[in-house]
Amino acid sequence: MTTHRHDWYTSEGYDGGLHHCKKCKLSSQGERIATPCPVSDAEHHAVAWLGQAGLYPTRFDAVRNFEQSIRPVSANELFELASKQVLSQLNEGRQHA
C-alpha cells in the first residue's frame, strides 16, 4: 500500500468546499479524503519514463511498448542521461577517427 500524500486544492468554497488532488485527480466534497494517494510526487513530476528499451515521453507509451518495469525520470535525471549519451557518442567518434 502506498503512503503518498494527496496534493489538494479547493474550488467552490461553499458547503466545506470541493477538494481536488492535482496528482490522482480524485475529488471530494466537504472533508478531504484521508486515504493515501496512489501517485507519488516523482510520478506526478516525471518528464519521461525509463524502461528496459529506453526512454518514453509518457507512461502510456512505455506500457504500449509492453515495458514490464518503468520508472519516472525527473528533468534533472533526463539532463544527466542526455549528457552521458552525448559524451559516450563523442568518445565513440574519437575512437573511430
Side-chain angles (χ1 to χ4, degrees):
M1 183 167 174
T2 64
T3 58
H4 308 298
R5 297 177 60 123
H6 289 283
D7 187 6
W8 296 110
Y9 71 94
T10 304
S11 66
E12 304 177 21
Y14 58 89
D15 292 332
L18 181 58
H19 309 286
H20 311 276
C21 177
K22 294 177 186 175
K23 296 190 304 186
C24 71
K25 309 299 184 212
L26 178 70
S27 293
S28 173
Q29 179 69 46
E31 290 187 30
R32 294 176 177 174
I33 297 174
T35 60
C37 184
V39 179
S40 70
D41 289 340
E43 292 171 323
H44 180 62
H45 296 294
V47 295
W49 294 85
L50 183 61
Q52 186 75 22
L55 281 170
Y56 298 91
T58 66
R59 176 182 231 154
F60 176 75
D61 290 330
V63 171
R64 188 173 57 189
N65 198 48
F66 304 106
E67 288 285 357
Q68 297 297 310
S69 178
I70 57 173
R71 71 172 186 84
V73 177
S74 69
N76 288 340
E77 289 176 298
L78 185 59
F79 181 78
E80 288 176 26
L81 289 168
S83 297
K84 289 177 185 177
Q85 181 68 26
V86 168
L87 286 174
S88 174
Q89 289 175 346
L90 287 173
N91 288 335
E92 188 176 299
R94 288 185 188 134
Q95 290 174 356
H96 294 298

